[in-house]
Structure formats: structure tokens, C-alpha cells
Amino acid sequence: MVQKRRISRVVQIGDIAIGGSNPVAIQTMWDRPINTIDDALVTRINNLKELGCDAIRFGAPRLSDVELLGALAPQLKMPLIVDIHFDYRIALRALDFPIAKLRINPGNIGMERKVFEVATKAKDKGVPIRIGVNGGSLLSSLKDEPNRAKALVQSALDEVEVLERIGFENIVISVKDSNPEYVDEAVRLLAKSCDYPIHLGITEAGTLIPAITQSAFYLGGLLKDGIGDTIRISISDRIEYEVMAARQLLSLLKIDERRMPKLVSCPLCARNSFDTHYFAQKIEERLYGMQGDFTVAVMGCVVNGPGEAGHADLAITGAGNKVFVYRKEERIFSGDAQEAERFFLEQLTLLEEASMHATPRA
Ligand code: SF4
């Protein structure tokens, strides 16, 4: 069971509020440079919203990047966050556009005068700043601190102090490391040390399996203890997986207010007469866009297929040389695999339409 939520200040990121008792927001980060804005780009990003993404972050190493991101922001269905290191002029220019948040490290920006200029403009525009400290870019004065978690938190609080000194408190904080144990310790310490919203993540968490496993174990543990206001599951793979993994985690912890269908699918064995791997993957992303407390089962054979179908709202299962489709417990189709798949997808569309009348997230 999830413990009582740590209640932080509320920070507005475009049209979503984070912190306080607001839902934990899901973020991802675009994984390559943007040289042009076209329909394919806008569509792919907006599809992330359908999967459950609440905000997307872009690195902007060049001044020309923020010009493109400024043009992109109004075309997106979710807040756009700009991530800037070193050159404060890029941050200043980014603030001329309808961006929802800046991620900077004052330590990387350099002289306090430059940080002051960025924070003053962000304050005028109502744009929050995330202080994002990573183990790989700790301030040199803290690199020798033997307690890594303490060093991460101290670094973040030092950065926060720079902003607070100039009256800027519209802040979100993250303390990330590639070692999840340090992240766990640092976030818990940070949660006790301030009341700013905390963004959770393990940086450079690796490929799909280690990234999801570490994030589920460590970030899930923090969320279970009521800590964390936004989350990114960083994966060296498709950004869609980052959103889907975060969604699964929040759903498992029952802290995602968006009701998501449950997919039951068997792993296959020698008895199968229906390829569940192929078919489950084919429908998986569609399910993320659906609202509702229903279950879809994709099963390989009659050993467990009809039994699972009995618990599902819609099910498909191999059955010897036939494939059956069930709605609730009732078998409503029997035929070859191709026809059964087509029939199942039609039924899924009906469920999808019904789900659109379910209450979406506010
Ligand atoms: S449902 Fe059938 S095919 Fe799938 S794992 Fe179980 S026994 Fe094997």
C-alpha cells in the first residue's frame, strides 16, 4: 500500500500542476537533435500523450534549437520543457517562447549575474526551473564527498539557494545517478530537506530490461513511500517505452488516476496454436490510449485460454486448429487465426469507443 504522500509546493508546468496532491506526472525526453519540424515529428510526440505522457523535455545545445522548439511548442498537446547547460543566452532566448519549464543547473551556467538574468526572466514569464543534479556533473567541490547521496543533495540545495537568493522559488528538483542505491538515498534525504516538488529518475539506467527493473524497484519504492511528483524512466530504447513503463509502474502502485486496461497474455509454450507474442505486441500500444477498468486476454491454447477468458472482458485464444474470441465468458467467434484477429480488433474498437465515455484524467 502507498504511504501518505509527501506534500510539496505546487508548481505549474504549462497546463499541468505538479506537487501537492496532484497526480504524479510522467515525462520523457526527446532522444535526438531536431533539425526541422514536420508532421511526422508532431504526430509522434502527440502520440506519446495518448500513451500517457504528461510533458516532454528537449535538450537545446544550440541557439537554433530553441528557435525550432519555440515553433514546436504550440503544436504539441503537452507542455514542452527545455533543457539547457552552459550557455545562459540559450535559456534567455527559450523564455521568449511558450515553453513550460526550464531545466538548468546554475553551476553549469556560471556567474551568478547570468543565473540572475535567467531567473528574473523566468519569474516574469511564470516559467518554473528544474534544478537537475546528476552524479556525472557534480560540482567539483563536492566530487570528493565520500557520501555520494549527500553530495547530490548538497549540490542541489546549493543550486536552489542561488535561485532563492534572487527571490526565485518556482522550483522543481531532481537528484539522479546511474547507481540506483544513491538515487534512493539521495531522494529520501532531499524529501526531508525541502518542500519543493521532486522529479524522480535514475540516469543512464541502461537498456530496456535493466532500466525498467531498476526503476520499478527503486523509484517504485520511493513512490510507495509517498515521495515523487514527476517521473521519467530513462531507457536506452524507444521513448514510447519510457512512457509505457512509467504508466505501468504508476498503475501497479494504484497512483495513476487514469484507468488503464490490463493485458493478460501467456508466454507461449509447445502447446500453443496462437502466436501471443506477435498479437499482444500488436495491440499493446492501443491499450494505453484507452480508459477503463477492463481486461484483455491473449492466450496460446485451451490449457489456460478459456479460463483466462472467463476473467477477461475480451479474449482471444488458440484452440487446436481454430482460434476463439470471447466477450466476458461467452465464446462469440470461432475460426482461423486471420479471421479471429480481425474480429477481435473490431471488438476492441467497440471497447475503445465505450472507454472514450469513461472519465478522463482532469
Ligand atoms: S496458455 Fe497454453 S500455450 Fe500459453 S503458456 Fe499456457 S499452456 Fe502454453
Side-chain angles (χ1 to χ4, degrees):
M1 199 176 88
V2 174
Q3 301 298 309
K4 198 165 170 290
R5 177 99 177 260
R6 164 189 176 262
I7 298 297
S8 70
R9 303 180 191 204
V10 174
V11 168
Q12 193 71 30
I13 302 175
D15 59 1
I16 63 164
I18 63 155
S21 53
N22 290 296
V24 177
I26 296 172
Q27 292 188 19
T28 188
M29 185 169 186
W30 191 251
D31 56 0
R32 58 207 63 215
I34 290 185
N35 297 314
T36 183
I37 295 171
D38 55 24
D39 288 349
L41 174 78
V42 174
T43 302
R44 185 171 172 207
I45 297 170
N46 283 337
N47 281 344
L48 291 168
K49 171 84 180 171
E50 303 304 315
L51 292 177
C53 189
D54 294 304
I56 183 159
R57 178 163 53 110
F58 292 83
R62 303 163 300 185
L63 205 52
S64 58
D65 293 322
V66 289
E67 304 290 333
L68 279 170
L69 294 176
L72 179 62
Q75 299 183 55
L76 300 186
K77 292 182 183 167
M78 68 183 114
L80 184 153
I81 301 164
V82 182
D83 188 307
I84 291 161
H85 287 280
F86 308 119
D87 191 340
Y88 82 114
R89 290 166 304 177
I90 302 178
L92 287 175
R93 181 64 181 136
L95 289 164
D96 289 331
F97 298 105
I99 64 159
K101 187 169 72 168
L102 269 183
R103 183 265 168 129
I104 60 164
N105 261 352
N108 278 347
I109 297 287
M111 288 186 292
E112 205 163 310
R113 171 185 65 78
K114 296 176 182 174
V115 177
F116 178 81
E117 255 189 82
V118 173
T120 304
K121 191 162 180 180
K123 197 172 179 183
D124 285 350
K125 302 270 179 176
V127 173
I129 292 178
R130 170 156 72 89
I131 300 296
V133 172
N134 277 7
S137 55
L138 272 177
L139 290 172
S140 50
S141 56
L142 288 163
K143 278 196 175 129
D144 296 330
E145 160 65 53
N147 183 324
R148 176 81 152 208
K150 227 167 124 186
L152 287 164
V153 174
Q154 193 53 55
S155 179
L157 296 179
D158 287 352
E159 308 276 20
V160 165
E161 205 194 318
V162 173
L163 295 183
E164 284 177 339
R165 233 184 289 142
I166 51 185
F168 190 93
E169 297 189 349
N170 198 9
I171 296 170
V172 181
I173 309 178
S174 65
V175 280
K176 298 188 183 181
D177 198 279
S178 56
N179 182 329
E181 291 181 346
Y182 296 149
V183 174
D184 182 72
E185 197 184 335
V187 171
R188 288 176 193 280
L189 183 58
L190 179 66
K192 285 190 206 136
S193 310
C194 71
D195 67 349
Y196 290 112
I198 296 178
H199 169 68
L200 297 179
I202 298 166
T203 194
E204 298 114 26
T207 49
L208 196 62
I209 292 170
I212 290 179
T213 311
Q214 292 177 76
S215 300
F217 188 79
Y218 287 96
L219 304 185
L222 290 164
L223 289 165
K224 214 169 161 197
D225 289 341
I227 303 171
D229 303 288
T230 74
I231 183 170
R232 177 193 179 195
I233 295 191
S234 156
I235 308 175
S236 304
D237 210 312
R238 296 175 62 220
I239 55 175
E240 284 78 3
Y241 291 154
E242 295 196 352
V243 177
M244 290 158 75
R247 189 88 190 276
Q248 282 290 344
L249 181 56
L250 298 187
S251 178
L252 198 63
L253 291 165
K254 298 190 170 57
I255 51 177
D256 190 343
E257 291 180 357
R258 292 163 287 197
R259 291 170 298 158
M260 195 178 84
K262 182 175 177 198
L263 175 62
V264 172
S265 64
C266 87
L268 287 185
C269 72
R271 283 175 285 262
N272 92 80
S273 56
F274 182 65
D275 185 351
T276 61
H277 293 193
Y278 141 81
F279 197 66
Q281 280 167 24
K282 183 170 173 169
I283 63 168
E284 187 181 27
E285 289 196 14
R286 252 177 97 174
L287 296 178
Y288 282 81
M290 295 166 73
Q291 300 271 339
D293 289 326
F294 53 84
T295 301
V296 173
V298 178
M299 303 295 293
C301 80
V302 288
V303 171
N304 292 319
E308 286 296 346
H311 304 302
D313 296 273
L314 183 64
I316 187 166
T317 182
N321 57 5
K322 291 205 163 138
V323 174
F324 296 157
V325 175
Y326 293 82
R327 185 91 199 236
K328 305 279 185 192
E329 283 170 74
E330 188 191 352
R331 192 203 300 171
I332 53 173
F333 185 88
S334 166
D336 69 24
Q338 218 180 359
E339 288 169 353
E341 283 178 23
R342 194 166 42 240
F343 184 80
F344 179 97
L345 293 174
E346 282 168 15
Q347 293 295 313
L348 190 63
T349 303
L350 294 177
L351 270 181
E352 223 165 7
E353 284 167 5
S355 83
M356 284 161 66
H357 301 296
T359 316
R361 181 185 184 177

